[in-house]
């Protein structure tokens, strides 16, 4: 399952857009480039739909849509070979019902099913298998606790019914660097960055509820209340269209 350190890494590979306008606004400000000490990422869009991200001139991520829903993405290595594919399925209310993970390097696969509870939380169960089927219960389950914006503020993960990790996040009140990417706000399970606001702190607790690791981020904002610089483990500079 995802851990907080994965979330840290995801934040360094930010998929980004910013403004107060809605995702359907063709005039929305979208990120063109992000630069950190280790990598420069270039972002490509079709309207407000994220099409692809290039790292160092090579295709890194490619996104697929059906209508306004993100149905998956493909991750490529430096040799332009697809190494991982993620596929999302939605229910009749356009909520993510499942996430399938296909690993082209070892031909393994996994699938996570999501259940939307009456108290606003979302439960999940993880299964493993191969490309043909993913029906072997792994024993990994958990609960997402979401705020009013649908952001994950806490994730409890269980292994064979026993609490394994607890992850907690806090957010600012500014515009998220992801805010106007069409369909991205539905992907609450990608919790390395905010969808509406920006993550300020992340904390990882072990099964004994002891803090194992944490991080914090500070931001410089532009006049649209969108981050221009992010300071944390690594400084990231954002350039908009």
């Amino acid at each position: 399952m995802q851990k907080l350190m994965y979330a840290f890494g995801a934040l360094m590979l930010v998929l980004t857009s910013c403004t107060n306008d809605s995702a359907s606004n063709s005039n929305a400000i979208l990120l063109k480039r992000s630069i950190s000490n280790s990598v420069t990422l270039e972002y490509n869009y079709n309207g407000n739909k994220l099409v692809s991200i290039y790292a160092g001139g090579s295709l890194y991520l490619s996104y697929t849509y059906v209508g306004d829903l993100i149905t998956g993405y493909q991750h490529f290595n430096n040799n332009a070979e697809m190494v991982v594919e993620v596929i999302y399925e939605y229910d009749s209310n356009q909520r993510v019902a499942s996430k399938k993970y296909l690993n082209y390097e070892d031909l393994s696969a996994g699938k996570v099913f999501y259940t939307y509870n009456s108290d606003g939380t979302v439960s999940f169960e993880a299964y493993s298998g191969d490309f043909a089927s993913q029906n072997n219960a792994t024993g990994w389950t958990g609960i997402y606790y979401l705020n009013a914006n649908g952001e994950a503020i806490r994730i409890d993960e269980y292994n064979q019914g026993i609490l394994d990790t607890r992850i907690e996040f806090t957010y600012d009140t500014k515009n998220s660097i992801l805010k106007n990417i069409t369909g991205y706000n539905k992907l609450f399970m990608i919790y390395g960055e905010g969808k509406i606001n920006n993550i300020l702190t992340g904390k990882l607790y072990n099964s004994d509820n002891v803090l194992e690791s944490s991080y914090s981020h500070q931001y410089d904002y532009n006049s649209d209340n969108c981050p221009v610089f992010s300071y944390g483990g690594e400084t990231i500079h954002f350039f908009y269209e």
Side-chain angles (χ1 to χ4, degrees):
M1 297 304 297
Q2 290 175 312
K3 299 297 183 183
L4 188 60
M5 292 310 296
Y6 172 80
F8 294 171
L11 188 62
M12 308 312 291
L13 297 171
V14 184
L15 321 179
T16 318
S17 76
C18 259
T19 186
N20 287 315
D21 300 326
S22 69
S24 62
N25 185 351
S26 61
N27 296 320
I29 300 170
L30 295 171
L31 184 77
K32 183 64 176 177
R33 182 183 300 108
S34 67
I35 300 177
S36 67
N37 293 334
S38 59
V39 65
T40 296
L41 301 180
E42 302 281 347
Y43 304 82
N44 299 285
Y45 304 90
N46 178 8
N48 287 7
K49 296 178 181 179
L50 182 63
V51 174
S52 60
I53 301 175
Y54 281 76
S58 300
L59 180 61
Y60 177 70
L61 293 172
S62 177
Y63 286 78
T64 56
Y65 282 79
V66 171
D68 288 338
L69 300 176
I70 297 174
T71 54
Y73 65 87
Q74 300 80 43
H75 167 55
F76 296 84
N77 63 18
N78 292 335
N79 296 320
E81 300 167 332
M82 184 166 61
V83 294
V84 169
E85 183 176 12
V86 172
I87 300 169
Y88 298 105
E89 295 178 328
Y90 294 80
D91 64 18
S92 59
N93 294 315
Q94 296 191 339
R95 302 176 302 189
V96 178
S98 67
K99 178 182 71 173
K100 184 188 298 185
Y101 176 92
L102 305 176
N103 188 322
Y104 285 82
E105 294 184 308
D106 62 11
L107 301 183
S108 64
K111 195 167 187 178
V112 181
F113 293 91
Y114 301 98
T115 300
Y116 294 82
N117 305 313
S118 59
D119 62 359
T121 63
V122 183
S123 302
F124 69 84
E125 295 183 76
Y127 293 79
S128 64
D130 55 24
F131 280 26
S133 64
Q134 308 84 41
N135 53 19
N136 301 316
T138 65
W140 281 100
T141 61
I143 302 176
Y144 288 86
Y145 295 82
L146 309 178
N147 63 16
N149 290 328
E151 306 268 23
I153 56 174
R154 172 177 152 189
I155 305 101
D156 291 349
E157 295 186 351
Y158 297 85
N159 185 4
Q160 310 301 327
I162 299 173
L163 181 66
D164 184 78
T165 56
R166 173 168 292 154
I167 303 167
E168 296 178 349
F169 294 104
T170 63
Y171 299 84
D172 66 10
T173 58
K174 306 296 185 179
N175 291 317
S176 167
I177 52 182
L178 292 164
K179 188 172 183 179
N180 282 330
I181 294 178
T182 299
Y184 205 84
N185 63 317
K186 296 182 179 293
L187 305 181
F188 63 88
M189 69 293 300
I190 301 179
Y191 50 75
E193 62 282 320
K195 308 301 185 300
I196 305 299
N197 306 120
N198 304 288
I199 288 180
L200 291 176
T201 64
K203 296 180 179 180
L204 173 67
Y205 297 88
N206 63 21
S207 58
D208 295 319
N209 205 33
V210 175
L211 182 65
E212 283 194 343
S213 60
S214 64
Y215 79 95
S216 63
H217 279 272
Q218 298 81 41
Y219 304 93
D220 288 344
Y221 304 94
N222 61 18
S223 59
D224 295 306
N225 286 325
C226 303
V228 178
F229 284 95
S230 171
Y231 306 100
E234 190 172 11
T235 299
I236 307 175
H237 191 183
F238 303 114
F239 298 86
Y240 300 92
E241 293 180 334

